Amino acid sequence: MIVVTGGAGFIGSNFVRDWLALNDESVINFDKLTYAGNLSNLASLEHDPRHIFVRGDICDTDRLSRLLAEYKPRAIVHFAAESHVDRSIHSPGEFIATNVNGTFSLLEAARAYWSGLSGERKADFRFLHISTDEVYGTLGPQDPPFHEMTPYAPNSPYSASKAASDHLVRAYFHTYAMPVLTTNCSNNYGPFHFPEKLIPLIISNARAGKALPVYGDGLQVRDWLYVGDHCSAIRRVLEAGCPGEVYNVGGWNEMTNLDVVYTLCDILDTLDPKASGSYREQIIHVQDRPGHDRRYAIDARKIERELGWKPAETFETGIRKTIQWYLDNQAWVRDVQSGDYLSWVQKNYAERNDTKGTTA
Ligand code: NAD
Ligand code: TYD
């Protein structure tokens, strides 16, 4: 079996569902269930004995050690993190606790467990760390995309905490020869994406008749990858990646935020038209994110060349599926938009009024 951390979040829950749909190996899903973790993401696995959910904090090394001793996994896939840049600006401490100290605790538990293995089980063990392209910092318009040797230059508390965790993972390979792998992926989108991130926020606000808040001029560029493609890349790296190596994962799909928002509005105009007018009329420009990275782009040639991985979806196909999923799963959206979500929206957007005074 394998252990997954953070498997109740957006990417982790997609990974767990896909994993169990594709093979019979059990998954121990270790998750603290923060505001971002949601067991309803895993409702389809409720009666599946191959999915074992354990609530816990990756900062708890003893708990993790007991878990590893009990289940004896052949691999750990580490998704658990605080993942939202805007939240990291408001509350950086939680990002250091989980992303840095938590990854360290998990590495220590994994090292003790792996050291006690022998023979093939020891050689075949893998620790796969899921990271982000944001560790590389920001690009100018003409710069080549990030590759695996691009120097780290993180700019937000989120990306700095992820960079620190990447360095720890790297050090465990070089110092202890622990068989670790790291993936650095671009922005994901798809089903079960928590509606505080750009794409699900725009879909949800559009349908609710609310303003669609674009930070600053909206000309910041991101590379977008459908979550199912990220999950297939992770499976491929786990299966065939070389220990100690880093693989950049991306969709070859750079877009400005404004173009993403226009695309969402235009597709919604056809799939779920308003009584009159276009969703584009709801777009407002609000105060920019402090330290906002201007452009991310990923050179994903290494994983393609060495492991034969390529994304299956284009942005056009993936975003249509995603919008349709949100239209078909409005109860899920309503359920996650309560409690903490409402106070977050208030905190993040209250001071970002546009020039006309409209509140996002
Ligand atoms: P998410 O915020 O949706 O989910 C994070 C999950 O981790 C939640 O289920 C949460 O409950 C759990 N968690 C948080 N703190 C924990 C702790 N201390 N102990 C145990 N569990 C804890 O995040 P996501 O978007 O699914 O991202 C997953 C991973 O992928 C993260 O490491 C993130 O940095 C990385 N990543 C995300 C993207 C993206 O676009 N979302 C892109 C590249 C890389
Ligand atoms: P986000 O989904 O938060 O991901 P990340 O910051 O990790 O890239 O944001 C994606 C882009 O969208 C980013 O450039 C910030 C921008 N953005 C907005 O313009 N408006 C919003 O309300 C949000 C949440 C993000």
Side-chain angles (χ1 to χ4, degrees), residues 9-11 31-32 34 37 57-58 79 83 98 131 158 162 188:
F10 163 47
I11 304 173
D31 195 298
K32 185 178 170 183
T34 66
D57 189 333
I58 55 163
F79 293 95
S83 68
T98 286
S131 194
Y158 164 66
K162 290 297 289 186
N188 284 209

Side-chain angles (χ1 to χ4, degrees), residues 107 129 152 154 160 162-173 182:
L107 282 166
H129 175 59
Y152 275 31
K162 290 297 289 186
S165 66
D166 293 8
H167 290 322
L168 283 169
V169 170
R170 174 191 157 89
Y172 274 59
F173 175 75
T182 298

Side-chain angles (χ1 to χ4, degrees), residues 4-14 29-39 41-42 53-60 64 78-84 94 97-99 102-103 129-134 158 161-162 165 183-189 192-194 196-197 223-225 227 230 234 249:
V4 163
T5 70
F10 163 47
I11 304 173
S13 66
N14 275 282
N29 185 350
F30 187 81
D31 195 298
K32 185 178 170 183
L33 296 182
T34 66
Y35 78 94
N38 194 339
L39 282 181
N41 297 357
L42 300 156
F53 183 80
V54 178
R55 188 170 190 179
D57 189 333
I58 55 163
C59 296
D60 187 347
L64 289 164
H78 176 34
F79 293 95
E82 288 291 340
S83 68
H84 190 188
E94 290 163 27
T98 286
N99 300 0
T103 300
H129 175 59
I130 309 302
S131 194
T132 166
D133 60 355
E134 305 194 23
Y158 164 66
S161 67
K162 290 297 289 186
S165 66
T183 53
N184 291 90
C185 186
S186 56
N187 283 56
N188 284 209
Y189 65 96
F192 298 97
H193 204 180
F194 195 71
E196 65 179 5
K197 305 279 176 82
D223 171 57
W224 293 97
L225 182 70
V227 65
H230 188 189
I234 294 167
V249 183

Side-chain angles (χ1 to χ4, degrees), residues 85 134 187 196-198 201 213 215 222 257 289 292 349:
V85 174
E134 305 194 23
N187 283 56
E196 65 179 5
K197 305 279 176 82
L198 180 70
L201 179 100
Y215 294 169
R222 297 291 182 264
N257 292 338
R289 171 186 282 174
H292 200 170
Y349 295 99

Side-chain angles (χ1 to χ4, degrees), residues 26-103:
S26 295
V27 176
I28 313 301
N29 185 350
F30 187 81
D31 195 298
K32 185 178 170 183
L33 296 182
T34 66
Y35 78 94
N38 194 339
L39 282 181
S40 69
N41 297 357
L42 300 156
S44 62
L45 302 174
E46 207 177 349
H47 302 295
D48 190 330
R50 299 169 305 162
H51 177 238
I52 300 161
F53 183 80
V54 178
R55 188 170 190 179
D57 189 333
I58 55 163
C59 296
D60 187 347
T61 310
D62 291 344
R63 181 89 180 76
L64 289 164
S65 298
R66 276 185 275 120
L67 184 97
L68 298 177
E70 182 181 352
Y71 291 107
K72 301 183 177 48
R74 71 168 177 95
I76 299 173
V77 185
H78 176 34
F79 293 95
E82 288 291 340
S83 68
H84 190 188
V85 174
D86 291 319
R87 285 189 190 247
S88 83
I89 295 167
H90 286 275
S91 310
E94 290 163 27
F95 287 70
I96 305 305
T98 286
N99 300 0
V100 186
N101 296 336
T103 300

Side-chain angles (χ1 to χ4, degrees), residues 183 228-238 249 303 307 309:
T183 53
D229 281 327
H230 188 189
C231 293
S232 73
I234 294 167
R235 290 194 302 275
R236 187 67 194 132
V237 171
L238 189 60
V249 183
I303 187 171
L307 304 182
W309 175 86

